[in-house]
Amino acid sequence: MLYLNEQEHTTAKKKHQDMIKLHRVHKEYHPNITALCGIDLHVEPGEFVSIVGQSGTGKTTLAKLLIAEERPTRGRIVIGGWDITDIHASQIPFLRRQIGVVFQDFKLLRQKTVGENIAFALEVAGEPRQRIRDVVPQVVRVVGLHGKEDRYPNQISGGEQQRVVIARALVHRPKVLIADEPTGNLDAITAHEIVDLLRKINDFGTTVVLVTHDKDVVNRLKRRVVTLKNGCIHTDHKVGKYVLA
Amino acid sequence: MKLVRTIVRAFKFALQNFWRNIWLSIATILVFVLTLTMINLLIVVHVLTQTAVQQVEDRIDVSVYFKRGTSEPTILEAREYLLGLSQVRSAQYVSSEEAYTRFTQRHRNDSSIINALSTIESNPFGGSLVIQARAPEDFEFILEALNNPQFGDAIEQKDFEDHERIIARIRSVTDRVQWFALGVGAVFLVIAVLIVFNAIRIAIYTHREEIGIMKLVGASNSFIRLPFLLESLIFSLVSTLIMAAILLPALQVLDPQLSAFFGTASIGLTEYVFSNGFLVFGGQFIVLAALSVLSASVAMSRYLHV
Ligand SMILES: Nc1ncnc2c1ncn2[C@@H]1O[C@H](COP(=O)(O)OP(=O)(O)OP(=O)(O)O)[C@@H](O)[C@H]1O
Ligand SMILES: [Mg+2]
């Protein structure tokens, strides 16, 4: 895969402006498994960045580092001015409330309705009932699922399920939304709808990091594309476009 | 406010865990109840032993018979001396006349004995002291004290022994029962700890999706742990309540029979348990809860990864 650049992206920004800042981030799962090798990446608030690359190049690893699911072996990670490199375990929940996550294997609870699945994220964070009652309909409307709150996951389509997952990621009004292969199991049209939803969320001001394999998705987006190769940043283009190699 | 909300929600999750693995919950509670049964058996046997030993001990006395012709003042002096010992609870003087009267009273229907007695001109009985010790172990000391040359020569015979054997027999039986209960109780306790560990491990496994989601949406670690701790508390509480529901009626049936056996108004077991019920069952609950919370914590630290 190749991503042609139309305009070289410059990362020379003032430090305090960065929403996400990775400085020479290395990640080794074992001494001989290097997933990331010295990543330098700066993402501004409100940006929409797609992370692409072949399987096994460390895209998911990168996403996991951003939510402190994994720790970097070396380097520094700063999110919204908060250095999370050595974040204490007790602080991780607060980080997670500021970063919405959509993972491919990050499923819905079958025995809960759409509304309950979304409310769950607020319940477990100890939010008051009244706030849950206010927020859930709002995010349901944002992802275009109103009227389906009382359905169970097996009563809605795959695309709709993914919308519920996105809605759940939005309940804490995160500054950053990280989506790892959110269109993985979806057909092209549904995938585009999901990406449109992500773009809409981005338009509201949320920084979006999208990890994807999908060339159509990247082409349609016309946003910044970072390509990883063997754990390193291969290209970083302001507006990425997929072309056949 | 937020704390209350958190606890209420965690409690809801705990109840869900409980119901979703209901058979495991039942098995856990069963082992808990068996463990408690052993502990309570220990308590009951202990109280019964105390009662039985007390009964025998209260009856133990040593009769010290003085030689005929020993003067009353000498015997009374011996009595004073004995009462001065801290080991002696009481010392009753039985004069030779009294002994004679008692003897004839006891054998009044046996003419041959009465006749034989009447052929003897003088009273064949000497005076005696009936001594009660504070503790059965003290008799040895008391008897030793009586060997004191002042009285030793005047003493005809000392008579006790049998009681000691009775107490020893009671103790050997109850000791064996207590060791048995202790051993079985300890085994059940180990099983209980292991089963809680497993119950929590399985609860974590059944809820791995929820737990994964909770972590990713920013549930605090304590919120993730709380339902499992509460679940182990629910196990302990339900087991203790079941135990109380079994033990209290059982005691009420048993108590009159045991009282009849020991020939006392009441051995006080029921009163003891009823009046100290809070302490008895509260204590058991606390021990059980502490152990199961500990076990659950180990299970969580191994399988929860938070
Ligand atoms: N938990 C782990 N333990 C050991 N090695 C791991 C672990 N997770 C990932 N890796 C390795 O790290 C490398 C990067 O994995 P990662 O999942 O980040 O790739 P990816 O770009 O997301 O791939 P894909 O497109 O297939 O999802 C791979 O070589 C993978 O085998
Ligand atoms: Mg991946």
Side-chain angles (χ1 to χ4, degrees):
Chain A
M1 266 190 217
L2 254 174
Y3 295 87
L4 270 190
N5 66 322
E6 290 184 359
Q7 190 186 332
E8 196 70 34
H9 182 73
T10 58
T11 51
K13 297 283 170 194
K14 280 177 210 151
K15 277 179 185 174
H16 69 268
Q17 278 188 333
D18 293 323
M19 180 57 80
I20 299 170
K21 192 174 79 181
L22 276 74
H23 181 65
R24 294 187 187 170
V25 170
H26 284 260
K27 176 65 188 176
E28 291 163 12
Y29 284 105
H30 295 290
N32 47 357
I33 302 179
T34 302
L36 292 174
C37 50
I39 298 285
D40 269 307
L41 181 68
H42 296 250
V43 179
E44 285 170 48
E47 244 189 316
F48 192 128
V49 188
S50 299
I51 312 279
V52 297
Q54 285 182 343
S55 186
T57 50
K59 304 185 294 297
T60 299
T61 302
L62 182 61
K64 284 182 175 170
L65 287 173
L66 295 178
I67 58 166
E69 172 109 350
E70 293 287 351
R71 303 292 179 115
T73 312
R74 281 196 299 282
R76 304 215 74 77
I77 302 174
V78 180
I79 308 270
W82 181 6
D83 189 333
I84 62 155
T85 314
D86 302 310
I87 187 171
H88 191 268
S90 64
Q91 292 298 308
I92 291 177
F94 299 100
L95 174 69
R96 303 266 170 95
R97 288 174 209 172
Q98 294 182 31
I99 303 180
V101 269
V102 179
F103 278 143
Q104 206 180 345
D105 58 350
F106 174 26
K107 300 205 183 68
L108 296 173
L109 297 169
R110 268 170 288 114
Q111 72 279 13
K112 285 190 192 287
T113 64
V114 167
E116 287 165 354
N117 264 287
I118 298 168
F120 185 71
L122 290 161
E123 277 176 21
V124 300
E127 294 291 345
R129 197 183 290 269
Q130 188 52 51
R131 191 171 143 70
I132 297 175
R133 245 181 254 141
D134 292 344
V135 170
V136 172
Q138 285 173 18
V139 293
V140 164
R141 218 168 300 121
V142 167
V143 300
L145 279 177
H146 52 275
K148 294 178 178 168
E149 293 91 334
D150 294 331
R151 301 226 197 144
Y152 286 89
N154 61 0
Q155 298 171 330
I156 56 177
S157 71
E160 286 168 335
Q161 286 177 28
Q162 199 58 277
R163 285 167 189 271
V164 180
V165 174
I166 292 169
R168 185 177 56 192
L170 294 178
V171 291
H172 293 303
R173 304 183 186 285
K175 294 185 227 157
V176 183
L177 182 69
I178 297 171
D180 189 0
E181 310 275 10
T183 59
N185 295 324
L186 305 175
D187 61 63
I189 293 170
T190 317
H192 288 154
E193 285 171 3
I194 293 297
V195 171
D196 286 343
L197 173 60
L198 292 178
R199 189 145 52 179
K200 180 173 147 194
I201 291 163
N202 179 239
D203 288 342
F204 291 155
T206 308
T207 309
V208 177
V209 176
L210 169 66
V211 173
T212 184
H213 271 122
D214 197 325
K215 50 204 169 205
D216 289 345
V217 161
V218 176
N219 284 350
R220 255 173 74 93
L221 268 169
K222 297 186 175 65
R223 300 289 180 99
R224 182 177 171 194
V225 175
V226 173
T227 313
L228 292 184
K229 191 174 177 182
N230 299 327
C232 304
I233 292 183
H234 183 54
T235 59
D236 185 348
H237 300 150
K238 184 73 178 171
V239 176
K241 196 168 88 178
Y242 174 88
V243 284
L244 284 168
Chain B
M1 196 52 221
K2 179 161 178 179
L3 187 70
V4 173
R5 207 157 51 221
T6 302
I7 290 173
V8 168
R9 282 175 193 166
F11 192 72
K12 224 175 68 187
F13 286 129
L15 284 179
Q16 276 175 15
N17 291 2
F18 189 88
W19 288 119
R20 254 193 250 173
N21 297 307
I22 186 67
W23 287 107
L24 189 65
S25 301
I26 289 173
T28 308
I29 288 171
L30 194 71
V31 173
F32 273 27
V33 169
L34 288 175
T35 310
L36 286 182
T37 304
M38 287 301 132
I39 292 172
N40 284 301
L41 182 63
L42 213 61
I43 293 173
V44 167
V45 169
H46 182 72
V47 173
L48 288 184
T49 310
Q50 291 305 104
T51 312
V53 169
Q54 195 61 49
Q55 288 279 314
V56 176
E57 278 176 4
D58 282 349
R59 281 182 216 159
I60 297 181
D61 45 44
V62 175
S63 294
V64 177
Y65 298 97
F66 289 84
K67 288 183 181 139
R68 267 181 65 198
T70 308
S71 70
E72 190 167 300
T74 311
I75 299 176
L76 287 176
E77 199 182 323
R79 179 171 177 266
E80 284 308 310
Y81 168 71
L82 284 170
L83 285 176
L85 300 174
S86 62
Q87 288 86 347
V88 174
R89 184 157 47 158
S90 72
Q92 197 199 348
Y93 170 57
V94 181
S95 67
S96 55
E97 294 77 29
E98 223 174 318
Y100 185 87
T101 320
R102 280 189 197 174
F103 187 85
T104 50
Q105 201 68 37
R106 204 178 318 145
H107 299 283
R108 64 181 179 276
N109 297 323
D110 196 334
S111 52
S112 60
I113 291 179
I114 300 294
N115 287 340
L117 191 63
S118 61
T119 58
I120 305 166
E121 274 161 40
S122 58
N123 179 356
F125 299 101
S128 64
L129 285 175
V130 180
I131 306 160
Q132 288 199 310
R134 294 207 187 275
E137 307 85 81
D138 293 336
F139 278 115
E140 210 174 327
F141 175 85
I142 295 168
L143 294 175
E144 199 58 44
L146 280 174
N147 283 341
N148 162 343
Q150 208 181 339
F151 321 107
D153 297 337
I155 291 171
E156 170 102 54
Q157 191 194 343
K158 303 165 194 164
D159 158 27
F160 82 123
E161 268 204 276
D162 274 359
H163 304 296
E164 230 177 23
R165 221 173 293 149
I166 293 170
I167 290 181
R169 213 175 308 142
I170 292 174
R171 289 231 188 262
S172 87
V173 171
T174 54
D175 275 2
R176 231 172 292 156
V177 175
Q178 286 194 335
W179 278 114
F180 172 78
L182 203 65
V184 176
V187 170
F188 275 127
L189 214 58
V190 171
I191 294 174
V193 167
L194 290 178
I195 204 164
V196 175
F197 182 85
N198 252 326
I200 298 301
R201 189 173 67 111
I202 289 172
I204 290 170
Y205 182 76
T206 357
H207 290 258
R208 60 198 182 285
E209 282 195 342
E210 264 126 317
I211 293 167
I213 291 167
M214 281 175 164
K215 285 185 198 169
L216 283 178
V217 299
S220 66
N221 294 345
S222 52
F223 183 83
I224 296 173
R225 284 162 169 276
L226 200 55
F228 299 105
L229 291 178
L230 288 177
E231 193 184 355
S232 61
L233 286 182
I234 293 174
F235 289 149
S236 309
L237 186 65
V238 171
S239 311
T240 311
L241 291 179
I242 290 176
M243 192 67 246
I246 294 171
L247 190 66
L248 294 180
L251 281 181
Q252 267 177 322
V253 173
L254 221 62
D255 206 335
Q257 298 182 12
L258 289 170
S259 301
F261 177 77
F262 285 111
T264 52
S266 162
I267 55 166
L269 206 53
T270 310
E271 284 104 277
Y272 177 75
V273 172
F274 270 89
S275 59
N276 297 296
F278 201 71
L279 204 75
V280 171
F281 293 109
Q284 292 179 22
F285 169 73
I286 286 170
V287 170
L288 211 56
L291 274 176
S292 53
V293 163
L294 197 73
S295 176
S297 303
V298 175
M300 283 191 288
S301 68
R302 287 204 44 189
Y303 301 104
L304 207 49
H305 309 298
V306 296

